[in-house]
Amino acid sequence: MSFLWGLFCRTAPCMSPSTMNGNTKPLCLHLNDAFFEKLVEVPFPLLLNCTQQIDCMMFLVLLSAAFLLGYVSFRGMCRLCVDEGEMVPVEDPAGPDQPAGGGVMYLGELRDMLKKYLNEEKIESTVRATHSTGSAEGNALASEILQNFQKLHMDHTWTDSHYATLQFPSRTQRNALWLVDAEGVELEEIPLDSADYCAYSAMGTVTGGVVYVNYARQEDFEQLRALGVALNGSIAMARVGGGVSFAEKVWHAQEAGLVGILFYPDPADIPQDPRRLGLHGNAAISEHVHLGSGDPFTPGFPSFNHTQFPPTQSSGLPLILAQPVSANVASKLLRYQLVGVACPRGWQGRLPYVRCVVGPEFSVGGRRVRMAVYNSMSPVLLNNIFASIEGKTEPDQYIIMGAQRDAWGPGAVKAGVGTAVLLELARTFGTMLQNGFYPRRSLLFVSWDAGEFGNVGATEWLEGYLSMLHLKAVAYFSLDQAVMGDDALSAYTSPLLADLIEGAIKQVCVSLHSERVCFTDKTRPLYLNSGAYSFTAFGGVPAMELRFHEEGRVYPFVNTQLDSAERVQELLQGRLGVVGRTVGELVGLMVLKLTHDLILPLDVTCYSTAALRLSAQLNQLSAELQVRGLSPQWVYRARGDYSRAAKTLQEAIKNTDIQDERMARLYNTRIMRVEYYFLSQYVSVVETPFRHVLHGRGDHTLSALTEHLALLRTQPQLFNEARFRQQLALFTWTLQGAANALSGDVWNIDNPF
């Protein structure tokens, strides 16, 4: 019987029905030629006259032995029955890279399936103009994405709605700038584009001199103070860029005593020649200025119904005016010859006909600038669109992929490409599900609303489910701004995911410029405006945002009215689909690894390095600390405890039968919570939403502690011992708490205190 069935499978199409995922599909073990070479070693006469030459029972024994020999030798050579492009899984006992419980496909086969089904043409054709949150076009796009998810046969699709307060340009009054004389009489109005604004700017009118502040970084203001420049009551002129967001620039200007700030794109930073994919001189770059994320009028809690919460607002809302202007406007203001000291070295931009001085006075006596911002607040219904594929073994553990879908302009890079890649990943994983992919853990695909206003949709969802997400969310992958070029790849990531991207990138090469290019990743820390930042710094979920970009050249059209699919295609010389597919493949490979492996592949030892650097810095300053009666011993102890706990967990996993579902579950629970352990429990989520001591913002963070510590050598008169004691205590006990939690049960914790 085995012999006849083998011949039938070798010569006939797959006909035996097998029900998989509710669909009837052919299931057949295709035996390869090598197997039959083994089989024909059985003497042919035996097949003709078995009853005459030997007992039929002996024939069956020999035939069975040949069958088993062929199966054992060649069972791994052909695991997929291929018929007209369909990939149908064949049951096989669990191997070393398969899920426990007899999963049906090896990880390598799943990778091949992912690459087979990802379609660059679909990504390219799906990129389209996005729309502002709350607009009729934006709501129509949300409905379209929901319908697309529903067509992909996801296990679940739904809409998560919130009410948020957003800020838009006024429909009745335009933001404006004027040159005024010493008496405040308006001499000239400087025209501004009504579409350009900074969401969440303070509103009103201010008048003052102009101070050129370079990138408005903290170190820039320190240099201005050292030069003795009068800052109080002035208006800052700041360049876009410098590694800091608009919100951080506003915060620094506000702390320095300025009353307003103007942002402009300098040709030294952002290409200004429209003939070579650059901005034209009248283009401005918009960005929100809330030093935080989410709805600033419901800080720390979700905007499910904005009428039921007491009035409050985020401490990150600015108190000064902010407005973007074009390079032409900046040049017009600065070439009136500001009077003051010469710019520090390295501050000279490339505005034409501008001599670099810092101000704040104009050479024409008494002239100043008047600035007016008339933005208006509006409550808006937000809709986050969700789809999910439910895990088969641990459905309560989620790997999340998301992209914002809104933009102030066409938003091709800002939202269009990310949305297209998100939809293609959902389609690809859905197709894989129909062809034998059984994810161990659940996959979530999310289209976020109001990303332009500070990742409002994503943050409101995090705030609504914060108490459960650290128990369920394994990782988050942001697809925002994923394609801004094709020369280099950067990964903005939690260190817990660094090994994942390193593994995925070794398997992905792409054809660019008629060559086969394999990228090396540049792992960088998460930044404030990243779509992934809130997940880690606020929610305690490991997160990553990938970005292809041009080496040494900035994509100039982000957050402008010029960010169109046509310009992206021109930049990439028609390879938008290729690069978008590469992003999808990289994210897909990491998702497959996370949803496939029995033990989550997160590096729990990574945070030992950060604590070690602090220990080294404390050791260098031990003499200064001892004079003040300060001891770093608790930090040393906490660092050692965390390092030992992480290594002990790794060793325990190595020495345990990971096929034991109960033990695997226990280990994964501890691994999943590591990021959450570093959210400080000693600060208020309302006052300090980014509680992560390594990635967050505030006095409780490691960066604030080390900056303060450095004052012992540089400016000892500014060192505040009481503040330092509190900072050291907050960090130490957060680190110790992480070590204790990672150790597992309370009887495993070494507590000498």
Side-chain angles (χ1 to χ4, degrees):
M1 290 296 293
S2 297
F3 172 67
L4 294 176
W5 176 244
L7 284 177
F8 179 73
C9 276
R10 188 182 185 214
T11 59
C14 299
M15 298 177 61
S16 177
S18 174
T19 300
M20 305 181 65
N21 300 325
N23 296 324
T24 300
K25 288 189 174 290
L27 177 63
C28 178
L29 179 64
H30 276 206
L31 306 178
N32 54 26
D33 290 338
F35 165 74
F36 285 95
E37 289 174 5
K38 290 287 183 182
L39 187 62
V40 296
E41 292 177 4
V42 179
F44 186 71
L46 290 180
L47 304 178
L48 297 177
N49 298 304
C50 70
T51 57
Q52 300 175 5
Q53 298 186 28
I54 62 173
D55 186 270
C56 284
M57 183 62 70
M58 181 61 70
F59 166 74
L60 292 175
V61 169
L62 291 173
L63 190 61
S64 299
F67 180 89
L68 291 173
L69 178 62
Y71 176 73
V72 170
S73 300
F74 303 103
R75 63 173 179 163
M77 296 177 62
C78 180
R79 292 179 42 81
L80 297 176
C81 175
V82 181
D83 181 28
E84 296 182 351
E86 286 294 319
M87 302 181 70
V88 182
V90 180
E91 292 279 358
D92 204 357
D97 65 346
Q98 285 182 281
V104 297
M105 301 194 77
Y106 288 97
L107 182 58
E109 295 168 338
L110 293 174
R111 291 170 182 151
D112 292 341
M113 188 184 285
L114 174 77
K115 296 176 182 180
K116 173 185 174 71
Y117 288 124
L118 272 174
N119 189 311
E120 63 190 60
E121 288 80 12
K122 288 186 179 295
I123 293 174
E124 188 170 329
S125 64
T126 306
V127 176
R128 66 195 68 182
T130 55
H131 303 281
S132 179
T133 296
S135 67
E137 297 85 356
N139 293 334
L141 180 59
S143 298
E144 181 182 344
I145 290 173
L146 179 60
Q147 291 170 7
N148 284 336
F149 279 154
Q150 291 169 342
K151 292 176 183 176
L152 297 177
H153 306 291
M154 299 280 108
D155 291 324
H156 309 281
T157 58
W158 70 99
T159 299
D160 172 75
S161 297
H162 301 266
Y163 287 93
T165 302
L166 308 181
Q167 192 184 67
F168 299 93
S170 171
R171 296 182 179 180
T172 58
Q173 282 184 293
R174 296 176 58 169
N175 297 346
L177 288 175
W178 298 271
L179 279 173
V180 300
D181 63 17
E183 284 72 39
V185 177
E186 294 173 6
L187 302 174
E188 178 185 358
E189 181 176 356
I190 301 174
L192 302 177
D193 191 322
S194 60
D196 301 328
Y197 82 113
C198 290
Y200 298 122
S201 166
M203 291 175 282
T205 303
V206 296
T207 303
V210 174
V211 178
Y212 174 59
V213 297
N214 199 26
Y215 295 110
R217 300 168 298 192
Q218 188 65 47
E219 57 265 35
D220 294 331
F221 284 104
E222 289 173 359
Q223 288 195 62
L224 289 171
R225 292 188 190 96
L227 292 171
V229 177
L231 299 175
N232 285 343
S234 297
I235 296 172
M237 179 68 75
R239 290 158 67 170
V240 172
V244 287
S245 67
F246 280 25
E248 291 167 299
K249 295 174 191 288
V250 170
W251 184 262
H252 296 152
Q254 180 175 301
E255 291 290 293
L258 290 105
V259 295
I261 183 169
L262 303 171
F263 307 102
Y264 79 97
D266 195 287
D269 309 305
I270 298 172
Q272 298 281 312
D273 185 354
R275 296 169 299 178
R276 301 181 58 191
L277 278 176
L279 295 178
H280 56 73
N282 291 321
I285 295 176
S286 298
E287 189 173 300
H288 79 90
V289 291
H290 172 215
L291 190 64
S293 64
D295 182 353
F297 296 96
T298 59
F301 48 88
S303 300
F304 284 126
N305 187 335
H306 65 294
T307 64
Q308 297 183 3
F309 292 105
T312 184
Q313 66 180 41
S314 167
S315 58
L317 278 176
L319 303 177
I320 67 174
L321 307 190
Q323 173 68 30
V325 297
S326 67
N328 285 350
V329 169
S331 180
K332 183 178 182 65
L333 289 174
L334 296 179
R335 73 167 173 255
Y336 274 98
Q337 303 300 319
L338 292 181
V339 176
V341 297
C343 294
R345 186 171 182 175
W347 284 32
Q348 177 70 56
R350 292 182 188 163
L351 289 175
Y353 313 114
V354 171
R355 183 172 64 90
C356 193
V357 294
V358 297
E361 300 296 335
F362 289 108
S363 57
V364 179
R367 282 194 175 183
R368 294 178 297 168
V369 169
R370 178 168 296 154
M371 175 182 180
V373 174
Y374 302 115
N375 302 338
S376 60
M377 298 291 184
S378 178
V380 177
L381 175 64
L382 310 183
N383 291 305
N384 299 322
I385 310 301
F386 282 78
S388 69
I389 293 174
E390 197 167 321
K392 309 306 178 186
T393 307
E394 297 178 285
D396 60 338
Q397 295 183 356
Y398 315 144
I399 297 101
I400 310 168
M401 292 154 275
Q404 76 173 61
R405 68 171 181 275
D406 65 297
W408 285 318
V413 157
K414 196 66 183 288
V417 174
T419 297
V421 174
L422 175 71
L423 291 172
E424 179 58 14
L425 281 169
R427 188 198 66 81
T428 298
F429 280 114
T431 304
M432 292 173 64
L433 194 69
Q434 300 298 308
N435 287 276
F437 171 47
Y438 291 105
R440 180 181 184 86
R441 302 175 180 93
S442 296
L443 306 182
L444 268 61
F445 307 90
V446 197
S447 174
W448 302 113
D449 207 350
E452 289 287 58
F453 297 85
N455 301 304
V456 176
T459 303
E460 294 309 307
W461 182 73
L462 283 171
E463 290 174 340
Y465 301 97
L466 185 62
S467 60
M468 60 179 280
L469 282 177
H470 73 282
L471 301 173
K472 297 178 179 291
V474 175
Y476 175 70
F477 296 94
S478 169
L479 300 169
D480 296 342
Q481 302 183 74
V483 179
M484 302 178 73
D486 60 8
D487 285 349
L489 172 66
S490 294
Y492 301 90
T493 183
S494 159
L496 288 169
L497 301 174
D499 287 349
L500 267 181
I501 184 59
E502 289 179 9
I505 210 165
K506 293 175 183 177
Q507 304 170 48
V508 176
C509 298
V510 63
S511 294
L512 297 173
H513 311 290
S514 302
E515 298 179 359
R516 195 71 173 162
V517 179
C518 300
F519 292 94
T520 57
D521 69 305
K522 295 181 181 178
T523 302
R524 301 178 180 181
L526 295 166
Y527 61 97
L528 180 62
N529 275 354
S530 162
Y533 183 79
S534 292
F535 277 83
T536 298
F538 174 78
V541 176
M544 178 186 295
E545 184 170 284
L546 293 180
R547 180 162 305 148
F548 282 97
H549 56 92
E550 296 292 295
E551 194 73 64
R553 177 182 168 89
V554 175
Y555 176 77
F557 305 117
V558 173
N559 290 339
T560 74
Q561 302 298 315
L562 305 173
D563 183 17
S564 65
E566 291 76 18
R567 285 188 172 85
V568 181
Q569 281 285 29
E570 184 179 354
L571 174 71
L572 300 174
Q573 300 179 24
R575 297 185 302 274
L576 175 57
V578 174
V579 184
R581 184 190 182 281
T582 304
V583 172
E585 187 175 343
L586 284 168
V587 172
L589 288 172
M590 291 186 284
V591 169
L592 280 178
K593 181 76 172 169
L594 287 170
T595 193
H596 173 277
D597 284 9
L598 287 161
I599 300 298
L600 290 169
L602 305 182
D603 181 15
V604 298
T605 66
C606 63
Y607 285 130
S608 299
T609 305
L612 183 61
R613 285 195 294 267
L614 174 62
S615 297
Q617 188 176 2
L618 289 169
N619 192 48
Q620 292 174 358
L621 297 168
S622 59
E624 290 89 342
L625 293 173
Q626 287 178 3
V627 169
R628 292 168 170 79
L630 297 169
S631 171
Q633 287 304 120
W634 281 14
V635 177
Y636 297 160
R637 176 73 193 193
R639 183 198 64 78
D641 285 352
Y642 181 84
S643 180
R644 283 188 293 273
K647 291 178 180 178
T648 299
L649 177 58
Q650 288 184 328
E651 289 299 318
I653 292 171
K654 288 179 183 178
N655 297 323
T656 301
D657 177 14
I658 60 173
Q659 301 293 330
D660 183 333
E661 289 286 345
R662 175 181 170 275
M663 292 304 300
R665 180 81 176 179
L666 289 174
Y667 289 140
N668 283 336
T669 298
R670 287 157 68 182
I671 292 170
M672 280 177 62
R673 294 181 184 177
V674 168
E675 202 79 81
Y676 183 79
Y677 298 154
F678 284 93
L679 298 184
S680 176
Q681 305 301 308
Y682 310 108
V683 295
S684 165
V685 69
V686 175
E687 295 297 325
T688 312
F690 301 131
R691 294 179 294 147
H692 202 294
V693 295
L694 298 170
H695 303 296
R697 298 182 62 86
D699 224 32
H700 65 289
T701 61
L702 179 60
S703 60
L705 172 60
T706 54
E707 287 173 9
H708 192 186
L709 185 60
L711 294 177
L712 276 176
R713 290 276 174 87
T714 60
Q715 295 176 289
Q717 72 278 8
L718 298 180
F719 183 80
N720 186 319
E721 183 177 322
R723 177 190 169 208
F724 179 76
R725 286 180 182 275
Q726 182 176 7
Q727 287 178 309
L728 193 63
L730 291 179
F731 178 79
T732 300
W733 284 112
T734 301
L735 180 61
Q736 186 65 57
N740 294 345
L742 198 60
S743 296
D745 296 307
V746 292
W747 48 82
N748 292 326
I749 298 172
D750 181 17
N751 185 1
F753 301 111

